[in-house]
Structures are given as C-alpha cells and as structure tokens.
Amino acid sequence: MAALNGTWVLEKSENFEEFMKELGVGLILRKVGNTVTPTLIISNNGNEWSIKMRSTFKNTDDNFTLGEEFDDETTDGRKIKCLYNLDGDKLICEQRDRKTRALQVTAVRSVDENGKMVEVLTCKTVVAKRYFKRVE
C-alpha cells in the first residue's frame, strides 16, 4: 500500500471534538486535540509498518505487523489492543480496551482521488474525518 507511505500534515478535521467527547476524552484534552496539527510519517516494508505521529503536544511511534494485535497507548492515555489490516487500498485499525476487549475505535486511512489522505474515525455512532496533505 505504497500510496500511504510518506509524510502527511493535518489540513482539517470534521466532527473531531464530538468524536473525542464520545470516546470520553476530557474537555481540556479535547481543546488541545482540536488545536494541534499533527504530522504523520507512514512507511512499510511488506507487512511490517511504521506510523509516527509528531506534534507539539505528544509524539508516538507505532511499529506493527499487519494482522498481529499489539498493546498500545493512545495520545489521551487509554491502554488498548490495536490490530491493523489492509482492505484493498484502506489501512484499517481496530482499537479495543485491553481488559474488556470492547471495540472503542475503528480508524480507516486511505488516499483519495485528490492525493489527500483521509482518516475516518468511528466511535459507536459518531464519525469524524481528518484530512492530511502529503509533504514528502
């Protein structure tokens, strides 16, 4: 899925505050989340992937193998199990609570016809979209 490889900067978000609210993120972290402009650095070598998020708030590094669940911690501090898979041209991540195994978030990343990366985030019935432009 070479189309996702590269460096991406957030351009705009839709419904992101409502998404964070549904997820249980507190007011102050929601305000921070809406003002931060993260950069994502995505690369892969076959089924081995790396997604690095850089921002003025927090940096994260996820290295994973498609189809293999791993422990992770979100930027808001939730401890989760994460599972990535490809579905055609979409990279799909399922985030589940480590203890209850309940699905918390589904994140789908793909590149649209204009060359923008679109991230669709779903928590229960709330859907947010984030749009990124390629910088490298």
Side-chain angles (χ1 to χ4, degrees):
M1 187 60 215
L4 287 170
N5 287 340
T7 302
W8 304 86
V9 174
L10 180 68
E11 281 190 309
K12 71 175 184 171
S13 296
E14 296 172 356
N15 210 35
F16 191 55
E17 177 143 2
E18 286 304 310
F19 167 81
M20 290 187 290
K21 190 174 184 180
E22 183 67 28
L23 196 52
V25 176
L27 177 64
I28 292 173
L29 279 180
R30 286 198 316 266
K31 295 303 178 192
V32 170
N34 269 331
T35 59
V36 170
T37 304
T39 297
L40 295 179
I41 304 157
I42 301 175
S43 62
N44 80 297
N45 183 6
N47 285 338
E48 303 295 321
W49 285 74
S50 171
I51 299 178
K52 298 175 182 179
M53 192 268 303
R54 300 291 180 255
S55 75
T56 55
F57 174 63
K58 191 170 185 178
N59 296 328
T60 61
D61 293 329
D62 283 339
N63 298 295
F64 56 90
T65 303
L66 291 177
E68 292 184 12
E69 192 174 63
F70 64 97
D71 288 340
D72 201 6
E73 185 173 324
T74 63
T75 51
D76 63 319
R78 290 176 295 113
K79 296 191 184 317
I80 59 168
K81 293 277 189 183
C82 211
L83 177 66
Y84 281 89
N85 283 295
L86 281 178
D87 182 8
D89 62 351
K90 295 178 170 80
L91 181 63
I92 301 171
C93 173
E94 291 184 346
Q95 296 179 359
R96 295 183 179 274
D97 182 273
R98 279 193 203 171
K99 292 181 182 174
T100 68
R101 306 288 300 150
L103 182 64
Q104 293 180 336
V105 172
T106 301
V108 180
R109 291 184 179 111
S110 61
V111 177
D112 70 12
E113 64 278 356
N114 298 315
K116 305 284 184 181
M117 181 175 64
V118 181
E119 180 180 51
V120 179
L121 303 163
T122 305
C123 178
K124 298 177 186 168
T125 61
V126 178
V127 177
K129 290 185 179 179
R130 305 188 92 194
Y131 301 87
F132 293 78
K133 68 177 179 180
R134 186 186 301 272
V135 293
E136 281 182 28

